[in-house]
Amino acid sequence: MARDYSRTQRIADQLQKELAQVIQFEIKDPRLGMVTVSYAKVSKDLGFADVYITVLPLNGKDEDEAIVDSLKVLNNAAGFLRGELARKIKLRVMPQLRFHFDDTIERGRNLHHLIEATIRQENQNKRDASDTSNDTDED
């Protein structure tokens, strides 16, 4: 039972929560889009924390451009963010932050689109099959 929720997972959850607030209220870079911290994963030795984000583009930017700009801003501000987190979370070692784009939402959208297209195709095939069987019954 003790292994269900490990220390590294608890630290990752706390990092995610605190990091979301620090990014929202402390970083004032105009290149930064609306960033959501979707997941954090901390290594077992607490040396690194991989932080996964999603980005909503602002100011009419292209989504790909907003992702690249936001990741660049966050990776450049990783030292500042690490210092802010060290003040808020009492750990002996604060992990180095590495930011990555979380593409699970985009993959989910693509899968949803494929499922919807398959359902539409199956329904169309059923309608076509019932139309051809009705045509042969009338003859």
Side-chain angles (χ1 to χ4, degrees), residues 19 39-43 47-53 71 74-75 78 95-101:
L19 198 53
Y39 182 71
K41 182 179 179 184
V42 177
S43 64
F48 292 95
D50 291 312
V51 180
Y52 295 88
I53 63 164
L71 285 174
L74 290 173
N75 281 313
Q96 290 184 17
L97 303 174
R98 299 184 291 197
F99 292 92
H100 310 280
F101 178 68

Side-chain angles (χ1 to χ4, degrees), residues 24-108:
Q24 182 180 4
F25 296 116
E26 300 294 328
I27 296 185
K28 303 295 184 199
D29 195 313
R31 296 174 294 165
L32 192 64
M34 186 178 284
V35 174
T36 303
V37 179
S38 58
Y39 182 71
K41 182 179 179 184
V42 177
S43 64
K44 294 219 182 280
D45 65 352
L46 301 180
F48 292 95
D50 291 312
V51 180
Y52 295 88
I53 63 164
T54 57
V55 178
L56 182 66
L58 297 176
N59 303 328
K61 279 187 180 178
D62 180 40
E63 186 174 0
D64 293 333
E65 181 184 352
I67 291 167
V68 170
D69 287 346
S70 295
L71 285 174
K72 192 181 297 184
V73 168
L74 290 173
N75 281 313
N76 287 338
F80 167 75
L81 293 170
R82 185 178 180 207
E84 290 296 310
L85 288 173
R87 277 186 246 161
K88 294 175 181 283
I89 302 172
K90 299 301 179 203
L91 286 175
R92 196 168 152 214
V93 175
M94 181 56 65
Q96 290 184 17
L97 303 174
R98 299 184 291 197
F99 292 92
H100 310 280
F101 178 68
D102 185 7
D103 63 347
T104 56
I105 292 175
E106 186 61 33
R107 282 187 294 164

